[in-house]
Amino acid sequence: MEASRPLDTLNASRGKKVILELKNNKQIIGKLKAFDVHINTVLDEAEEHSDGQMVRKLGTLFIRGDTIILISPAE
Amino acid sequence: MEASRPLDTLNASRGKKVILELKNNKQIIGKLKAFDVHINTVLDEAEEHSDGQMVRKLGTLFIRGDTIILISPAE
Amino acid sequence: MEASRPLDTLNASRGKKVILELKNNKQIIGKLKAFDVHINTVLDEAEEHSDGQMVRKLGTLFIRGDTIILISPAE
Amino acid sequence: MEASRPLDTLNASRGKKVILELKNNKQIIGKLKAFDVHINTVLDEAEEHSDGQMVRKLGTLFIRGDTIILISPAE
Amino acid sequence: MEASRPLDTLNASRGKKVILELKNNKQIIGKLKAFDVHINTVLDEAEEHSDGQMVRKLGTLFIRGDTIILISPAE
Amino acid sequence: MEASRPLDTLNASRGKKVILELKNNKQIIGKLKAFDVHINTVLDEAEEHSDGQMVRKLGTLFIRGDTIILISPAE
Amino acid sequence: MEASRPLDTLNASRGKKVILELKNNKQIIGKLKAFDVHINTVLDEAEEHSDGQMVRKLGTLFIRGDTIILISPAE
């Protein structure tokens, strides 16, 4: 049995809704369109959320990997 | 179908207006002229914005990639 | 006798419950599914804990390695 | 048409006046003499400015790239 | 005479008790089981200490190298 | 005409007095003895200065490059 | 005449007393036993000092290079 790798998990979320938590304490929710080995990430239909409420719509978004703490599937 | 990469999204925004959010909490809006793998970025007709208002005009701008949190198409 | 390496210890925890402490002072408990050389880590059935109490359920979670302080087997 | 690169923009400013903003909130104005891929930068006739006023003359200046936020042509 | 290298010192402490000081001001004491070139470190029978008192038992512990300030033999 | 490089400027200051500003807000003045590509720097006859006054004599000094903001010729 | 390199200066201090200043504002004095290109450093007979007074004896000490600001010969 081959050990799974962290990026496999991200890959399984392509096209699906994910939640990102950033180092500046912001939470971004959107559809995972692309990522690379630096965890640079692109979301579609992205929204900034705070305390379960949407704060603003951000549309398509390129996020630099080094600002990301975690990525979690939202569906 | 080939998986898309984050820099493809940036590439699609070349020559178009983008919004950058920096780690020092500044927001810069300008026309995306160039970027590289470090996300070093050049904007034309750049402006610093705060709370939806323009704070100052910056013209052409080289921004070091490691100060960028996110880049979003503005049009 | 061959000297053991740090990632061997993580490898022995695959599929088992671990506790992660992050640089933002959060504590995450979950089943270790995957990790890589950057210590990018995936947990299943992850939960955020504070003072021995569960704060919220997070499900499957990709955590960027550079935000991790330590990983400890929980079982 | 070849896509332009961020360092091309810096290159076009060699010998010309530029404004640098540093991570310690200082603003340096000077003539761009040299730079490298790390954005290590040398300015001639450099001056530190604050609120549009010159604070002190610094002469020739080597600035380590990782302390730079942005570089903007000043002429 | 060959110059000694820093990792030789760590190697001499394998299987022995060491004190780690982390960037978050925590002090961890444990038996040094493994380390690598990034100073990623595994301790057995680890304990968190504060002001000479044990705060909590941590058991086996993987510590990411970039959070470590210093490692000192404790025996 | 070949474009000059930032390290050429430092090289021209070897054996001469320079002023270093560090990320911890300290200012060090000394004779530039050596530097490398990481901007690790050695000064001879180094002194710490504050507000134009010498605070303490430091003699020969190895300074890790990543703590340096800028280096300026002082003569 | 060959230009001297920063690590040559450190090398000349092997076996001699040095003063280290760390990013957490601590000052460590000890005999320089070993160092590498990352400036990972080992001291023997190390002591933590504050305001010219010894605070505590630390014995042999491995210090991760990225926490070091400067190293100065003490004899």
Side-chain angles (χ1 to χ4, degrees):
Chain A
M1 199 192 80
E2 201 185 326
S4 77
R5 295 162 303 176
L7 299 198
D8 294 342
T9 295
L10 288 188
N11 217 26
S13 290
R14 274 185 198 266
K16 294 183 188 148
K17 218 174 175 174
V18 293
I19 305 171
L20 267 77
E21 294 197 7
L22 305 188
K23 287 184 185 160
N24 64 0
N25 291 318
K26 290 194 176 165
Q27 196 184 50
I28 313 283
I29 300 182
K31 225 158 71 177
L32 182 61
K33 188 182 173 190
F35 63 89
D36 62 23
V37 292
H38 307 293
I39 321 301
N40 292 323
T41 298
V42 174
L43 299 182
D44 277 334
E45 301 163 28
E47 299 173 351
E48 185 181 329
H49 281 239
S50 180
D51 300 319
Q53 301 285 328
M54 189 195 64
V55 180
R56 54 178 179 147
K57 285 182 177 293
L58 293 158
T60 294
L61 211 57
F62 172 93
I63 301 159
R64 205 174 188 268
D66 73 324
T67 67
I68 293 173
I69 295 176
L70 58 84
I71 303 177
S72 177
E75 54 183 44
Chain B
M1 199 192 79
E2 201 185 326
S4 77
R5 295 161 303 176
L7 298 197
D8 294 342
T9 294
L10 289 188
N11 217 26
S13 291
R14 274 184 198 266
K16 294 182 188 150
K17 217 175 176 174
V18 293
I19 304 170
L20 266 78
E21 294 197 8
L22 305 188
K23 286 184 185 160
N24 64 0
N25 291 318
K26 291 194 175 164
Q27 195 183 51
I28 313 284
I29 299 183
K31 225 159 71 178
L32 181 62
K33 188 181 174 192
F35 64 88
D36 63 23
V37 293
H38 307 292
I39 321 300
N40 292 324
T41 298
V42 173
L43 300 182
D44 278 334
E45 302 163 27
E47 298 173 352
E48 184 181 328
H49 280 240
S50 180
D51 299 321
Q53 303 284 328
M54 190 194 63
V55 180
R56 53 179 179 146
K57 285 182 177 292
L58 293 158
T60 294
L61 211 56
F62 173 94
I63 300 159
R64 205 174 188 267
D66 73 324
T67 67
I68 294 173
I69 295 176
L70 57 84
I71 303 176
S72 178
E75 54 183 43
Chain C
M1 198 193 80
E2 202 184 324
S4 77
R5 295 162 304 174
L7 298 197
D8 294 341
T9 294
L10 288 188
N11 217 26
S13 291
R14 272 185 199 267
K16 294 182 189 151
K17 218 174 174 177
V18 294
I19 304 171
L20 267 77
E21 295 197 7
L22 305 188
K23 287 184 185 160
N24 63 1
N25 291 318
K26 290 194 177 166
Q27 196 184 51
I28 313 283
I29 300 182
K31 226 158 72 178
L32 182 61
K33 188 182 174 191
F35 63 90
D36 62 23
V37 293
H38 308 292
I39 321 301
N40 292 323
T41 298
V42 173
L43 300 182
D44 277 333
E45 301 163 27
E47 299 172 352
E48 184 181 330
H49 280 239
S50 179
D51 299 319
Q53 302 285 329
M54 189 193 65
V55 180
R56 56 179 178 146
K57 286 182 175 292
L58 293 158
T60 294
L61 211 56
F62 172 94
I63 300 159
R64 207 176 185 267
D66 73 325
T67 68
I68 293 173
I69 295 175
L70 59 84
I71 303 177
S72 178
E75 54 183 45
Chain D
M1 198 192 80
E2 200 184 328
S4 76
R5 295 162 303 176
L7 298 197
D8 294 342
T9 295
L10 289 187
N11 216 27
S13 291
R14 273 184 198 266
K16 294 182 189 151
K17 218 175 175 174
V18 293
I19 304 170
L20 266 77
E21 295 197 7
L22 305 189
K23 286 184 186 160
N24 64 0
N25 291 317
K26 291 195 175 164
Q27 195 184 52
I28 314 282
I29 299 182
K31 225 159 69 178
L32 182 61
K33 188 182 174 193
F35 63 88
D36 63 23
V37 292
H38 307 293
I39 321 300
N40 292 323
T41 298
V42 174
L43 300 182
D44 278 334
E45 302 163 29
E47 299 172 352
E48 184 180 328
H49 280 240
S50 180
D51 299 321
Q53 301 285 328
M54 190 195 63
V55 180
R56 53 178 180 147
K57 285 183 176 292
L58 293 158
T60 294
L61 211 56
F62 172 94
I63 301 159
R64 206 175 187 267
D66 73 324
T67 68
I68 294 173
I69 295 175
L70 57 84
I71 303 177
S72 177
E75 55 184 45
Chain E
M1 199 193 78
E2 201 184 326
S4 77
R5 296 162 303 175
L7 298 198
D8 294 341
T9 295
L10 288 188
N11 217 26
S13 290
R14 272 185 199 266
K16 294 182 188 148
K17 218 173 174 177
V18 293
I19 304 171
L20 267 78
E21 296 198 7
L22 305 188
K23 287 183 186 161
N24 63 0
N25 291 317
K26 290 194 177 165
Q27 196 185 51
I28 313 282
I29 300 182
K31 226 159 71 178
L32 182 61
K33 189 183 173 190
F35 63 89
D36 62 23
V37 292
H38 308 292
I39 321 301
N40 292 324
T41 298
V42 173
L43 300 182
D44 277 334
E45 302 163 29
E47 297 172 352
E48 184 181 330
H49 281 239
S50 179
D51 300 318
Q53 302 286 328
M54 190 194 63
V55 180
R56 54 177 179 147
K57 287 184 176 291
L58 294 158
T60 294
L61 210 57
F62 172 95
I63 300 158
R64 207 176 185 265
D66 73 325
T67 67
I68 293 173
I69 295 176
L70 58 84
I71 303 177
S72 178
E75 55 183 45
Chain F
M1 197 192 81
E2 200 184 327
S4 77
R5 295 162 303 175
L7 299 197
D8 294 342
T9 295
L10 288 187
N11 216 27
S13 291
R14 273 184 198 266
K16 294 182 188 149
K17 218 175 175 175
V18 293
I19 304 171
L20 267 78
E21 294 197 6
L22 305 188
K23 286 184 186 160
N24 64 0
N25 290 317
K26 291 196 175 163
Q27 196 185 49
I28 314 282
I29 299 182
K31 226 159 69 178
L32 182 61
K33 188 182 173 192
F35 63 88
D36 63 23
V37 292
H38 308 292
I39 321 300
N40 292 324
T41 298
V42 174
L43 300 181
D44 277 334
E45 302 163 29
E47 298 172 352
E48 184 181 330
H49 280 239
S50 180
D51 299 319
Q53 302 285 328
M54 190 195 63
V55 180
R56 53 178 180 148
K57 286 183 177 291
L58 293 158
T60 294
L61 211 55
F62 172 95
I63 300 159
R64 206 176 186 266
D66 73 325
T67 68
I68 294 173
I69 295 175
L70 58 83
I71 303 177
S72 178
E75 55 183 45
Chain G
M1 198 193 80
E2 200 184 328
S4 77
R5 295 161 304 175
L7 298 198
D8 294 341
T9 295
L10 288 188
N11 216 25
S13 290
R14 273 185 198 266
K16 293 182 189 150
K17 218 174 175 177
V18 293
I19 304 171
L20 267 79
E21 295 197 6
L22 305 188
K23 286 183 186 162
N24 63 1
N25 291 317
K26 291 194 176 165
Q27 196 185 50
I28 313 282
I29 300 182
K31 225 159 71 176
L32 182 61
K33 189 183 173 191
F35 63 89
D36 62 23
V37 292
H38 308 292
I39 321 300
N40 292 324
T41 299
V42 173
L43 301 181
D44 277 334
E45 301 163 28
E47 298 172 353
E48 183 181 331
H49 280 239
S50 179
D51 299 319
Q53 302 285 328
M54 190 194 64
V55 180
R56 54 177 179 148
K57 286 183 176 292
L58 293 159
T60 295
L61 211 56
F62 172 95
I63 301 159
R64 207 176 185 267
D66 74 324
T67 68
I68 294 173
I69 295 175
L70 57 83
I71 303 176
S72 178
E75 55 182 44

